[in-house]
Amino acid sequence: SPNYKIVSRQNLNESSVDMICRKTNSFGRDARLGETGKYYCQGQLDTGCRCCDRFCGPTNGCNCTACFSLDLSSRKLPKGYSINKLGHPVRKRRILARTKEVLLW
């Protein structure tokens, strides 16, 4: 019979039990999945967004660039794809407007 090690719940690190519940983003902040399926760290946004409260999450809305990078890497999307504000994968399109490149979502 296999040898099982009994571990008390108190000794378990939450991130070792559930790998998607928490990850550390490139800013060194703990990020968790929100209602939209996107990662949020609750830090201040670094994107200049004006459509929300300027904080990353905590459960929905815009996320910071470090959490957005977690979104992209965790979903393993092919090149040319991104994630919109609602948490849905979308294909990026590029257009040139007055010599300025604009991303459409």
Side-chain angles (χ1 to χ4, degrees), residues 16-32:
S16 69
V17 175
D18 186 353
M19 295 304 289
I20 64 169
C21 76
R22 181 180 14 164
K23 292 188 178 187
T24 302
N25 67 22
S26 63
F27 292 158
R29 299 178 191 146
D30 282 342
R32 296 182 182 273

Side-chain angles (χ1 to χ4, degrees), residues 20-104:
I20 64 169
C21 76
R22 181 180 14 164
K23 292 188 178 187
T24 302
N25 67 22
S26 63
F27 292 158
R29 299 178 191 146
D30 282 342
R32 296 182 182 273
L33 284 175
E35 296 169 357
T36 60
K38 294 169 52 174
Y39 281 95
Y40 298 104
C41 66
Q42 300 185 42
Q44 284 193 303
L45 289 180
D46 59 339
T47 60
C49 175
R50 298 192 188 278
C51 71
C52 57
D53 66 0
R54 297 187 182 142
F55 283 91
C56 181
T59 60
N60 57 34
C62 299
N63 56 359
C64 67
T65 56
C67 286
F68 184 74
S69 293
L70 282 177
D71 291 341
L72 293 176
S73 65
S74 66
R75 294 185 189 205
K76 298 181 175 135
L77 296 173
K79 187 175 180 174
Y81 281 78
S82 189
I83 299 166
N84 68 12
K85 191 183 294 189
L86 301 174
H88 301 277
V90 293
R91 189 177 349 180
K92 294 191 283 188
R93 281 192 311 174
R94 294 182 183 265
I95 61 169
L96 294 176
R98 294 187 179 184
T99 69
K100 186 176 181 182
E101 204 168 298
V102 179
L103 286 177
L104 295 180

